[in-house]
Amino acid sequence: MTRTPLIAANWKMHKTVAEAVQTARGLLERLGGRAPDGRTVLICPPFTAIMAVREVLADTGILWGAQNMYPRPKGAFTGEISPPMLADLGCTHVIVGHSERRHIFGEGNQLINEKVRAAFEFGLVPILAVGEKLEHRQAGLEEAVVEEQLAKGLMGLSAEQVRRLVIAYEPVWAIGTGETASPDDAQAMHAFIRRWLSARYGEETAQEVIIQYGGSVKPNNVDDLMAQPDIDGALVGGASLDADQFARIVQFQAP
Ligand code: 13P
């Protein structure tokens, strides 16, 4: 089977509504008004700009999603946003378990698993972010760390759900640092993740899962990363804030 590459922008805590609209319009202009063929493009603005970005992107083929959510449909959870609220805005995807959620806000694998399950329950595709810290890699523990995040993050899911899941491998030491995993190192981890999925859910399911790479993806390294057989897309932070740079990343050259 062929996996359609998914290029996603994670704008993190950046952009007012006006700035978000300007960037989304700029991207659209550079792409000729539509998502290019052969790839899926997704923008995850801050919650406050989702509505405005949706108005710009409606009917262009470019999708919009969210960076986080709380895994309950509604209730007394001051300050939180629910999966049905995101679905109501036309969000298709939601990022869960981003390293900034894990390390700055102390989210653990159990909460992240609840988010993954809640996303499916309410018709959103979860993008489960996993990745090791530098100290883990230096100690040769990168696979063990990622394996634990996968095993706990995917607990209770059916093979049918896993097939529709997106995994983002984001080594923490490569996020926002300008330091990218080499295409070979990234490929090695992506292949490890796919082997792990295959052992648990079967080869057919594993072959369908989109595994994105994230961590200082830029116009000048995206082609080499995307040339790797198990790298099926990119989750882009810093470079996605700029319409020129993100448009170039979206238009990566497949070999
Ligand atoms: P950077 O592209 O800024 O390294 O961020 C990566 C990331 O965290 C995307 O979710």
Side-chain angles (χ1 to χ4, degrees):
M1 75 134 310
T2 46
R3 297 179 292 269
T4 304
L6 173 62
I7 307 293
N10 175 7
W11 283 353
K12 306 191 180 184
M13 197 174 72
H14 292 282
K15 297 192 188 288
T16 61
V17 169
E19 290 163 349
V21 165
Q22 190 183 24
T23 308
R25 284 201 184 125
L27 174 68
L28 212 48
E29 211 169 282
R30 285 161 183 79
L31 297 178
R34 289 206 58 78
D37 290 339
R39 53 210 69 189
T40 308
V41 183
L42 169 74
I43 311 248
C44 299
F47 292 126
T48 46
I50 292 176
M51 195 64 184
V53 165
R54 157 198 166 134
E55 275 165 31
V56 176
L57 298 180
D59 303 320
T60 65
I62 298 178
L63 309 175
W64 55 93
Q67 303 170 17
N68 183 36
M69 64 174 194
Y70 193 70
R72 298 283 184 283
K74 60 182 166 184
F77 303 105
T78 300
E80 296 296 324
I81 302 282
S82 77
M85 291 172 183
L86 298 178
D88 186 41
L89 294 181
C91 290
T92 53
H93 293 69
V94 58
I95 302 169
V96 302
H98 191 279
S99 69
E100 287 144 23
R101 300 297 320 172
R102 292 177 190 265
H103 302 305
I104 301 174
F105 301 101
E107 289 191 11
N109 285 316
Q110 191 187 329
L111 176 62
I112 291 164
N113 176 247
E114 286 175 32
K115 293 185 180 195
V116 170
R117 293 204 272 189
F120 279 122
E121 196 178 325
F122 293 98
L124 300 161
V125 174
I127 299 178
L128 172 65
V130 298
E132 81 285 358
K133 291 181 167 176
L134 183 59
E135 70 231 41
H136 297 135
R137 182 160 279 266
Q138 285 169 337
L141 292 172
E142 66 272 19
E143 289 185 353
V145 168
V146 168
E147 178 168 8
E148 185 182 8
Q149 291 171 339
L150 289 172
K152 294 187 172 164
L154 303 184
M155 211 121 67
L157 295 191
S158 64
E160 171 57 26
Q161 289 172 319
V162 171
R163 196 173 61 74
R164 289 183 284 132
L165 173 79
V166 177
I167 293 173
Y169 169 57
E170 300 206 313
V172 179
W173 47 271
I175 295 177
T177 58
E179 188 110 18
T180 323
S182 70
D184 287 348
D185 283 348
Q187 164 59 26
M189 181 60 88
H190 284 229
F192 169 77
I193 293 171
R194 208 176 303 282
R195 282 198 303 279
W196 185 89
L197 291 169
S198 176
R200 288 246 171 158
Y201 302 99
E203 180 62 12
E204 215 175 301
T205 299
Q207 284 301 327
E208 299 215 14
V209 178
I210 300 281
I211 308 177
Q212 298 178 299
Y213 169 79
S216 299
V217 175
K218 307 287 178 199
N220 66 8
N221 59 26
V222 67
D223 296 346
D224 289 342
L225 288 161
M226 291 303 297
Q228 300 298 320
D230 286 293
I231 299 185
D232 310 317
L235 184 53
V236 188
S240 76
L241 298 172
D242 179 86
D244 266 332
Q245 289 191 47
F246 190 60
R248 169 62 185 87
I249 290 171
V250 165
Q251 291 168 308
F252 72 88
Q253 305 294 311

